[in-house]
Amino acid sequence: MRKQYQFGRVQIELQMPDGMSMPKNMGMFECEGADADMLFQLEYTSDLMAVERQFRREHVKIQEIRRENMRILIAGNRECRILSFHGNAAPYAVSVEENEKKNHVWVAEEVASLLSHDTIFVSLLSLEKLMIKNNALILHSAYMCREDRAVLFSAPSETGKSTQADLWEKYRQTRTINGDRSLLIREPDGWYAYGWPVCGSSEICHNETYPIHAIVMLHQAEDNEVIRLNGFSIIQRLMAQITINMWNAEFQTRALDLIEQIALEIPVYELGCNISEEAVQCLERVL
């Protein structure tokens, strides 16, 4: 089975076994036509460790990096990612960069039924690396459309991103485009927020694009207060919420350059808020 998908400016092609599960969100990004920027070949296996052993045999010098739920083997400009679930050392998938245009992904047969979950399936593809090559950033955010412009609520998980977007829907009839992620791209006329196939537990996912009006960094507070951020404060807060491969120096440099550009061109606010209409009013005054 072959299918193509487009995220922002990037097209990918998936070659998968017939009947392989995938998230329904992916269907919103399906496309046809032009040659893909990256081919992903997915297949099931009963022996993931054999894939890792083969990668190690093929490369004399390997750097190994450990991150939560993932090990990364780096040999020159090639990566092998061994993915696992939280609290479980046994991997559920292994992804190998064969070249600049192809990734080969092996998935454990026993997790076949879990691939319908967007966070699990999309993690197989390492798309953040492909996005940064094309000057796009994935921001952990609730993406709201207000008057045909994007307002992005960003914060760590469980802080209340989707709650604030819900308040705006209730009191100001806005729309939430994605409850958990947005793709940020600098177009000739400014920054735009694009849809993304991962929406987490919010289950709100639309493939729509709007110019960015503002980014709002959230924290919970008894009283509502908003301030405009500047300089290093913006860079520090955004870096914490953007998917960045910190082990890749080129990736870090590109991401930092884009974040610095955002800091110069997009209003970024810090909103201390509760869950009342007053929180909406507080932010509305500065927007």
Side-chain angles (χ1 to χ4, degrees):
M1 178 170 62
R2 287 173 176 249
K3 290 190 175 184
Q4 285 193 333
Y5 301 89
Q6 181 160 348
F7 310 110
R9 302 171 183 154
V10 175
Q11 287 195 10
I12 68 169
E13 179 176 318
L14 303 185
Q15 294 181 0
M16 305 174 290
D18 290 341
M20 175 176 270
S21 296
M22 59 191 315
K24 63 180 181 180
N25 296 345
M26 290 289 289
M28 301 177 191
F29 298 84
E30 193 168 350
C31 67
E32 296 180 357
D35 292 338
D37 297 286
M38 180 70 76
L39 168 65
F40 294 88
Q41 182 179 343
L42 283 70
E43 64 178 271
Y44 292 118
T45 181
S46 59
D47 189 359
L48 287 174
M49 299 310 296
V51 179
E52 178 180 348
R53 288 194 297 271
Q54 181 62 30
F55 186 86
R56 290 183 180 277
R57 281 195 295 268
E58 292 174 356
H59 301 90
V60 176
K61 187 175 181 180
I62 292 177
Q63 178 187 8
E64 181 169 350
I65 297 169
R66 293 178 180 267
R67 291 291 185 270
E68 186 178 10
N69 305 335
M70 179 168 60
R71 289 187 294 118
I72 308 101
L73 308 181
I74 302 173
N77 59 358
R78 294 180 63 195
E79 281 187 0
C80 172
R81 297 190 181 192
I82 300 102
L83 307 176
S84 58
F85 296 120
H86 182 70
N88 189 345
Y92 69 85
V94 176
S95 170
V96 175
E97 284 183 312
E98 295 195 351
N99 54 55
E100 290 185 352
K101 301 282 287 187
K102 181 180 179 182
N103 272 30
H104 199 150
V105 184
W106 290 264
V107 183
E109 295 170 342
E110 58 267 27
V111 302
S113 62
L114 300 179
L115 297 181
S116 59
H117 295 275
D118 55 17
T119 51
I120 294 174
F121 186 87
V122 175
S123 68
L124 303 176
L125 309 179
S126 309
L127 288 178
E128 79 288 343
K129 191 172 183 180
L130 186 56
M131 293 300 112
I132 199 68
K133 286 182 179 179
N134 289 272
N135 296 316
L137 297 169
I138 303 167
L139 178 65
H140 188 207
S141 57
Y143 168 7
M144 175 182 81
C145 176
R146 172 182 181 263
E147 299 176 353
D148 293 327
R149 292 192 293 176
V151 176
L152 310 176
F153 295 106
S154 185
S157 298
E158 309 301 326
T159 302
K161 301 183 304 297
S162 58
T163 299
Q164 289 302 311
D166 289 344
L167 289 173
W168 277 82
E169 285 196 5
K170 178 180 179 180
Y171 294 114
R172 297 297 185 270
Q173 292 72 58
T174 59
R175 291 180 59 242
T176 301
I177 307 303
N178 189 304
D180 198 58
R181 295 286 194 281
S182 55
L183 182 67
L184 314 187
I185 298 178
R186 179 61 163 85
E187 301 290 6
D189 61 338
W191 285 90
Y192 283 74
Y194 283 74
W196 191 248
V198 176
C199 63
S201 60
S202 75
E203 299 185 357
I204 302 172
C205 181
H206 302 285
N207 184 11
E208 298 180 24
T209 304
Y210 294 97
I212 299 175
H213 184 189
I215 299 174
V216 183
M217 312 305 295
L218 299 177
H219 68 265
Q220 296 176 355
E222 292 185 8
D223 299 318
N224 298 292
E225 181 182 19
V226 61
I227 60 171
R228 183 162 179 173
L229 300 176
N230 53 50
F232 182 70
S233 294
I234 295 176
I235 295 169
Q236 186 180 40
R237 285 167 171 78
L238 285 179
M239 284 194 71
Q241 301 307 321
I242 286 173
T243 307
I244 299 176
N245 295 165
M246 289 299 188
W247 61 87
N248 185 316
E250 180 184 358
F251 192 123
Q252 287 187 63
T253 299
R254 283 192 184 220
L256 184 56
D257 287 345
L258 291 170
I259 292 169
E260 288 178 343
Q261 193 172 7
I262 288 173
L264 292 172
E265 298 178 345
I266 299 176
V268 180
Y269 299 97
E270 176 86 18
L271 175 65
C273 54
N274 54 35
I275 51 174
S276 69
E277 185 179 4
E278 185 183 331
V280 174
Q281 295 168 342
C282 180
L283 179 60
E284 189 174 39
R285 285 192 286 271
V286 300
L287 294 180

